[in-house]
Amino acid sequence: MKQLINVKGKLMDLGQPKIMGILNTTPDSFYTGSRAGGFSEIKNRVSQMVEEGVDIIDVGGYSTRPKAEEVSVREELGRILPAIEFIGKMYQQIPVSVDTFRTEVAKEAVAAGAAIVNDVSGGNLDDQMFETVTHLQVPYILMHMRGTPATMSSLNQYQDLIVEVIRELEMKINRLSELGVKDIIVDPGFGFAKNVEQNYLMLKHLEQFQVLDRPVLAGLSRKSMIWKKLAIEPEEALNGTSVLNTVALMKKAAILRVHDVKEAVEVRNLLIQNIL
């Protein structure tokens, strides 16, 4: 298993699980507590995550929840670039990943200081993304999704969920490797073209994704697979998130993508120091 990735010339060891904090510069992300619309909110959110021990900050300016509004490239860039530049200026030790499926946004974000591209579409929504990441030579988070955020919920028919998701990811890993992308992180895509039951089946068998020989990112934080099961709201789903993050780490996840950094760091530290 490849555990070291090159982040701006420095090796990051994913053999020790990392916590990726979510910074949504959007007005319509599904969890209201993650929204940081104004620059003062961005600064406060970033400083809080750094104090709580975040390893990577994931900056996004386009909500991919179902029925989210369309956002222009210009507006997406206008939302994320100030945040990326602020983090680069004030917290140079914290790498930034840019959460986007657009090549133009990825290019501008990396030029502004982002060190990782996190593509929820896995190259599906921009056919130039793989070539762009090859040119940028930054780590690429390859997420599994089918269709678009508007259509993905209807594309969750699988004969064998785990086998098919792994196979679809493997085809893209092979393509990226042929192009020369050296550092690929795999995200199985919880909630993307999977229903609640399929999400739990995938979590139950998450260790099987090790067959891809790439670090695995788990994005479970406050998702509907938690609050729908418990008949609560996303704002009440922190406890459930911590439970599922614990399971993900025990099943070999290398990165947890979270809204709540402090709690995820505590989960990670307890497991590393006492169990894993």
Side-chain angles (χ1 to χ4, degrees), residues 204-216:
K204 182 178 180 179
H205 297 285
L206 189 65
E207 72 277 8
Q208 292 189 24
F209 286 83
Q210 299 295 306
V211 72
L212 294 170
D213 198 33
R214 296 292 188 278
V216 174

Side-chain angles (χ1 to χ4, degrees), residues 187-241:
D187 180 348
F190 290 97
F192 289 77
K194 293 103 183 165
N195 60 31
V196 171
E197 288 72 25
Q198 289 168 335
N199 286 324
Y200 280 101
L201 179 63
M202 198 160 65
L203 179 59
K204 182 178 180 179
H205 297 285
L206 189 65
E207 72 277 8
Q208 292 189 24
F209 286 83
Q210 299 295 306
V211 72
L212 294 170
D213 198 33
R214 296 292 188 278
V216 174
L217 180 151
L220 298 155
S221 185
R222 296 183 181 265
K223 286 190 172 177
S224 62
M225 64 184 287
I226 301 169
W227 50 265
K228 283 185 177 179
K229 278 284 187 182
L230 298 176
I232 58 176
E233 297 299 320
E235 287 73 18
E236 304 170 280
L238 175 56
N239 186 52
T241 296

Side-chain angles (χ1 to χ4, degrees), residues 146-219:
R146 289 176 171 178
T148 68
T151 64
M152 63 185 179
S153 61
S154 66
L155 299 173
N156 61 359
Q157 292 79 38
Y158 303 87
Q159 291 188 346
D160 189 321
L161 174 71
I162 307 302
V163 169
E164 291 178 50
V165 173
I166 287 175
R167 183 184 301 132
E168 290 172 25
L169 287 168
E170 184 177 33
M171 291 174 61
K172 292 182 177 180
I173 289 170
N174 291 340
R175 171 66 176 151
L176 286 161
S177 297
E178 289 171 359
L179 288 169
V181 179
K182 297 179 177 63
D183 295 313
I184 304 167
I185 298 160
V186 168
D187 180 348
F190 290 97
F192 289 77
K194 293 103 183 165
N195 60 31
V196 171
E197 288 72 25
Q198 289 168 335
N199 286 324
Y200 280 101
L201 179 63
M202 198 160 65
L203 179 59
K204 182 178 180 179
H205 297 285
L206 189 65
E207 72 277 8
Q208 292 189 24
F209 286 83
Q210 299 295 306
V211 72
L212 294 170
D213 198 33
R214 296 292 188 278
V216 174
L217 180 151

Side-chain angles (χ1 to χ4, degrees), residues 38-97:
F39 190 60
S40 62
E41 291 180 359
I42 289 171
K43 291 193 294 183
N44 291 339
R45 174 88 177 125
V46 169
S47 63
Q48 178 185 353
M49 288 194 288
V50 172
E51 288 174 9
E52 293 175 347
V54 76
D55 298 300
I56 306 165
I57 296 177
D58 191 45
V59 179
Y62 191 136
S63 175
T64 50
R65 66 176 176 81
K67 300 180 181 179
E69 292 186 10
E70 180 75 17
V71 176
S72 69
V73 169
R74 182 175 180 179
E75 184 172 359
E76 185 178 357
L77 286 169
R79 292 174 176 180
I80 66 170
L81 291 183
I84 293 170
E85 291 167 355
F86 170 73
I87 297 167
K89 180 179 179 181
M90 300 301 296
Y91 304 101
Q92 296 179 10
Q93 77 279 16
I94 305 295
V96 173
S97 64

